[in-house]
Every structure is written in structure tokens, then in C-alpha cells.
Amino acid sequence: MSGQSITDRITAAQHSVTGSAVSKTVCKATTHEIMGPKKKHLDYLIHCTNEMNVNIPQLADSLFERTTNTSWVVVFKSLITTHHLMVYGNERFVQYLASRNTLFNLSNFLDKSGLQGNSLIVF
């Protein structure tokens, strides 16, 4: 059995029902497991940025949505995945990010496990 939480499995199943393979893969790349995103998920998302029929705003919005999660692991993996797509994905992804007024709303993200107490992470 994988280390995915029940929440991760339910969210991935919801995306399967709606037919969004991109959102499902974003969910799987940004699970609650304390490990980096799986290479197969990152590779699929990179492939998606190169496909003309893939909705880049939907891909980016799925990643932005995951950054609002209460789990620091999910938020961190969302940021890692976004960075990976910016470096290795198609330039259309970067152009879309550059065209947005706001990127990530991390103002409510507090690191409650740090040694220095509650620290606000600002990007």
C-alpha cells in the first residue's frame, strides 16, 4: 500500500470522475507523503505543457489550488512541481505565469514545526 492519505486518494478519484487527467496528476504529484514528487508524475506534467490541446491555465490553477492546502508537505510539493515545470516544461507555462497578476497566496501558510516558533513564509 502506498503512503497516500485517504484525502489524496479521494481527491484523485474526483479528478478521475471529472475526466481531468492533468488535475489528477497534479494531485498525485503533490500528495501528503513526505517525499518529493514522483518522477513519472513530473514527466507527465512536462509532457502536458508541450501538448497544444492541454489547458495551461487549468494546469497552473490546479497547482495554485494545492498551495492553499493546510499541509506544508502539499504546499512545498506544489512549489517544487511548479519550479520543475518552469525549468523543464514548455515556455507557454512560464508565459502564462508571467501574465498573471498574482501567483501564490501563501499569506496563511505558517510553519508551526520550526525551531523559531510560528514563522510566516513570504514569496
Side-chain angles (χ1 to χ4, degrees):
M1 181 173 190
S2 73
Q4 289 183 2
S5 71
I6 297 295
T7 306
D8 292 332
R9 290 173 186 259
I10 291 171
T11 305
Q14 288 172 336
H15 292 302
S16 291
V17 169
T18 62
S20 177
V22 171
S23 295
K24 178 182 176 182
T25 306
V26 166
C27 180
K28 287 184 166 224
T30 59
T31 62
H32 289 81
E33 291 178 278
I34 301 180
M35 58 182 272
K38 290 184 179 176
K39 183 179 181 329
K40 66 180 181 180
H41 301 310
L42 293 175
D43 288 346
Y44 178 75
L45 292 172
I46 289 169
H47 171 75
C48 287
T49 65
N50 290 308
E51 292 295 317
M52 294 310 293
N53 62 340
V54 170
N55 187 341
I56 295 294
Q58 178 197 4
L59 170 57
D61 289 343
S62 295
L63 285 165
F64 297 148
E65 182 182 327
R66 296 297 280 174
T67 62
T68 62
N69 196 290
T70 57
S71 168
W72 70 269
V73 176
V74 174
V75 174
F76 191 63
K77 288 171 84 170
S78 299
L79 295 172
I80 290 170
T81 303
T82 302
H83 177 264
H84 198 79
L85 293 178
M86 290 174 69
V87 173
Y88 300 108
N90 191 291
E91 191 171 328
R92 293 185 314 139
F93 184 76
V94 175
Q95 288 173 347
Y96 176 74
L97 295 181
S99 72
R100 289 180 55 105
N101 291 333
T102 58
L103 291 180
F104 300 101
N105 181 11
L106 301 176
S107 60
N108 294 327
F109 183 64
L110 297 175
D111 179 9
K112 297 177 182 171
S113 63
L115 297 174
Q116 298 176 354
N118 292 344
S119 303
L120 181 62
I121 297 175
V122 180
F123 289 89

